């Protein structure tokens, strides 16, 4: 009886040895259904509480299927005219990728060293795509929302494959892209090569990207506060009852990450479009009619940017911390010797430090181009066919801001770290330039007192008042 019910017989080779693959297949199906339920439950709930719903439950399920496909970046069509919808709600996409990443990681960990475990990770992808085929088939017929069968299946398979492959990486493996980046840096001439700097360049790029996203979040938060103060948050849809309000708020929530990245493009300078022939940037804003939607109420008024140009300071601040990371790494980088013990830490040359900053900027620019393409799209034909940042403008702006700011900061941080290592002053970047805040305060106060003393002396001379030959003294002696 023990042999019949114990684990060893269930994992023995043969027909029952395929159980890990079957389990992984069901894991992929369960992951897809879980993501689909995240969309379907709120949509059906809103359909139930809507007093005069135009469609039945089948229409609500088709809407949920369309939203699930859009979350993968798969385009759908709307209405009898086939109006394209391709604006992907990024929050749904992040949930999908996160679930697949964790599921593939669990399956890969269980399958390590087990019979039949090699097919477990691909089985997760197969199970997920099987559910996608059912969703596309349900959404392919006549209705308000229609799937584009080939394009949608290809996009879902691509996103699921990338997430599964990333999640199934072996424990302890180098982060994605580090080995490729290391090989690319190794091909540079020795004088400009940041030896062993792939990891720190990657971290610097991630830090800069996080800073730029934070800048976009600050822009959106400031716009929300200004709109609330100015009374521009009100929308006609809020008069449609509780169900309409809840639906609008849920849609705004799933589009919030898109809005933050649009704010990042705004802070970088190129801005974004809200329709064909429009631009929203710190320099100028040109708008046409926009849909009545709360997030569009955050748009600035048309006209010149004016004081809004101050937001361009935020990307500059985002490049400071990556520069400090690169400068510290440049001062303590070790030059490994193949087949032997590493040499004493050898700092990167100044040119190599600058190259590391430029490479991190290029990585940020590449990520900005990809994200700019993902968070944009269409909400219809005609004017609404162009929404979001323009990738070929946002990418060079992001790369330029990061590289231009982080390169000099990295060089200064490297010089300071080397001087500290050599026993130099701890409170200055360069000899004679104090960094202690108190020193700046004392110098500024002394200069202000000297200026006031000279002004008093000049005024008394011009007025011919008695005692013009005397003047108040500043700290440290009389003014000469």
């Amino acid at each position: 009886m023990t042999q019949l019910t114990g684990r060893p017989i269930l994992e023995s080779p043969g027909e029952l040895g395929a159980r890990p693959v079957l389990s992984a297949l069901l894991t992929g199906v369960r992951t897809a259904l879980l993501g689909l339920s995240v969309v379907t439950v709120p949509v059906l709930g809103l359909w139930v509480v809507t007093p005069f719903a135009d469609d039945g439950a089948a229409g609500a399920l088709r809407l949920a299927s369309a939203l699930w496909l859009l979350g993968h970046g798969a385009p759908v069509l709307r209405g009898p005219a086939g109006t394209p919808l391709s604006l992907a709600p990024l929050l749904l996409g992040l949930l999908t990728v996160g679930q697949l990443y964790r599921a593939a990681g669990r399956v890969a960990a269980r399958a390590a060293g087990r019979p039949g475990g090699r097919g477990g990770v691909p089985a997760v992808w197969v199970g997920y795509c099987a559910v996608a085929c059912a969703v596309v088939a349900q959404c392919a017929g006549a209705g308000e929302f229609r799937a584009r069968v080939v394009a949608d299946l290809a996009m879902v398979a691509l996103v699921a494959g990338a997430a599964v492959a990333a999640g199934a990486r072996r424990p302890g493996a180098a982060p994605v892209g580090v080995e490729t980046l290391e090989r690319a840096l190794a091909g540079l001439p020795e004088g400009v090569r940041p030896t062993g700097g792939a990891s720190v360049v990657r971290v610097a790029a991630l830090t800069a990207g996080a800073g730029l996203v934070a800048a976009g979040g600050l822009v959106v938060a400031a716009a929300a506060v200004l709109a609330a103060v100015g009374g521009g948050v009100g929308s006609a849809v809020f008069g449609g009852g509780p169900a309409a309000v809840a639906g609008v708020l849920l849609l705004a929530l799933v589009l919030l990450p898109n809005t933050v990245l649009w704010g990042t493009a705004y802070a970088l300078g190129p801005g974004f479009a809200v329709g064909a022939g429009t631009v929203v940037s710190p320099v100028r804003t040109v708008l046409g009619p926009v849909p009545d939607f709360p997030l569009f109420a955050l748009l600035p008024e048309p006209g010149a940017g004016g004081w809004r140009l101050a937001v361009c300071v935020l990307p500059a601040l985002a490049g400071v911390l990556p520069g400090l990371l690169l400068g510290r790494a440049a001062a303590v980088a070790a030059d490994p010797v193949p087949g032997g013990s590493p040499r004493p830490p050898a700092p990167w040359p100044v040119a190599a430090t600058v190259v590391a900053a430029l490479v991190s900027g290029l990585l940020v620019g590449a990520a900005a181009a990809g994200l700019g393409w993902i968070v944009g799209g269409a909400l219809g034909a005609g004017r609404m066919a162009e929404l979001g940042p323009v990738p070929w403008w946002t990418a060079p702006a992001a790369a330029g801001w990061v590289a231009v700011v982080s390169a000099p900061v990295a060089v200064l941080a490297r010089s300071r770290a080397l001087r500290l290592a050599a026993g130099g002053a701890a409170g200055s970047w360069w000899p004679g330039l104090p960094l202690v805040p108190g020193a700046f305060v004392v110098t500024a106060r002394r200069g202000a007192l000297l200026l006031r003393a000279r002004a008093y002396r000049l005024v008394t001379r011009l007025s011919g008042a008695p005692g013009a030959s005397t003047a108040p003294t500043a700290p440290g002696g009389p003014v000469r």
Side-chain angles (χ1 to χ4, degrees):
M1 187 69 181
T2 303
Q3 292 181 349
L4 293 176
T5 58
R7 288 184 62 88
I9 194 172
L10 293 178
E11 297 182 1
S12 61
E15 183 179 357
L16 293 178
R19 182 176 179 271
V21 176
L22 178 60
S23 175
L25 185 69
L26 294 178
T27 298
V29 173
R30 183 174 64 248
T31 303
L33 293 177
L34 180 61
L36 189 60
S37 66
V38 171
V39 183
T40 305
V41 170
V43 170
L44 287 179
L46 290 175
W47 172 76
V48 169
V49 300
T50 301
F52 302 105
D54 295 333
D55 295 331
L61 289 175
R62 181 181 286 267
L63 173 60
S65 301
L67 288 175
W68 187 78
L69 292 174
L70 282 173
H72 295 77
V76 298
L77 303 176
R78 180 184 180 185
T83 303
L85 295 178
S86 59
L87 183 63
L90 191 58
L91 182 61
L92 298 180
L94 293 175
L95 291 175
T96 296
V97 171
Q99 291 170 357
L100 276 171
Y101 182 90
R102 295 181 59 187
R106 290 194 301 267
V107 169
R110 288 200 308 263
R114 295 175 60 179
R118 291 184 177 180
V121 174
V124 175
W125 178 80
V126 172
Y128 194 92
C129 291
V131 176
C133 291
V135 172
V136 170
Q138 190 269 339
C139 203
E144 181 66 18
F145 296 96
R146 301 193 307 279
R148 299 172 60 182
V149 178
V150 176
D152 291 353
L153 287 178
M155 199 65 193
V156 172
L158 179 63
V159 171
V164 167
R169 290 176 61 85
R170 64 184 183 277
V176 178
V178 169
E179 296 177 355
T180 303
L181 182 58
E182 190 66 61
R183 287 194 296 268
L185 294 178
L188 296 174
E190 185 175 358
V192 297
R193 182 193 309 152
T195 306
S199 295
V200 70
V201 168
R202 174 181 174 273
V203 171
L206 291 175
T207 304
L212 293 178
V213 173
L218 288 175
V219 169
V220 173
V225 170
L226 293 176
V229 172
V233 182
S235 177
V237 295
F238 289 142
V245 173
V248 168
L249 292 180
L250 285 175
L251 187 57
L253 177 63
V254 298
L255 290 175
L256 186 59
N258 300 61
T259 308
V260 170
L261 292 179
W262 288 21
T264 300
Y266 183 88
L268 288 170
F272 53 90
V274 189
T278 65
V279 62
V280 181
S281 72
V283 179
R284 66 189 181 98
T285 299
V286 179
L287 287 174
V290 295
D292 191 8
F293 189 66
L295 292 180
F296 288 144
L298 307 182
L299 296 174
E301 294 294 330
W307 61 270
R308 297 186 182 94
L309 287 170
V311 301
C312 294
V313 177
L314 298 176
L317 295 177
V320 173
L321 185 56
L324 295 176
L325 293 174
L326 291 173
R328 182 176 178 83
V332 299
D335 187 7
V337 179
S341 60
R343 301 171 185 166
W348 295 341
V350 174
T353 306
V354 174
V355 167
L358 295 178
V359 172
S360 65
L362 290 177
L363 293 177
V364 174
L371 288 174
W373 175 74
I374 290 173
V375 301
L379 279 180
R383 287 192 65 255
M384 289 294 103
E386 297 181 15
L387 291 173
V390 180
W392 51 87
W393 286 110
T394 306
W401 274 112
V402 173
V404 167
V405 175
S406 63
V409 171
V411 172
L412 291 174
R414 171 188 177 276
S415 300
R416 180 173 185 268
L418 291 177
R419 186 168 55 257
L420 291 177
S428 62
W429 295 97
W430 301 105
L433 179 60
L435 278 184
V436 181
F440 284 115
V441 173
V442 171
T443 303
R445 185 171 180 271
R446 178 176 174 79
L449 290 174
L450 290 173
L451 181 61
R452 189 178 69 175
R454 291 193 175 104
Y456 177 81
R457 186 176 181 179
L458 178 62
V459 170
T460 53
R461 275 186 177 180
L462 294 177
S463 62
S469 59
T470 62
T473 59
V479 179
R480 295 181 176 84

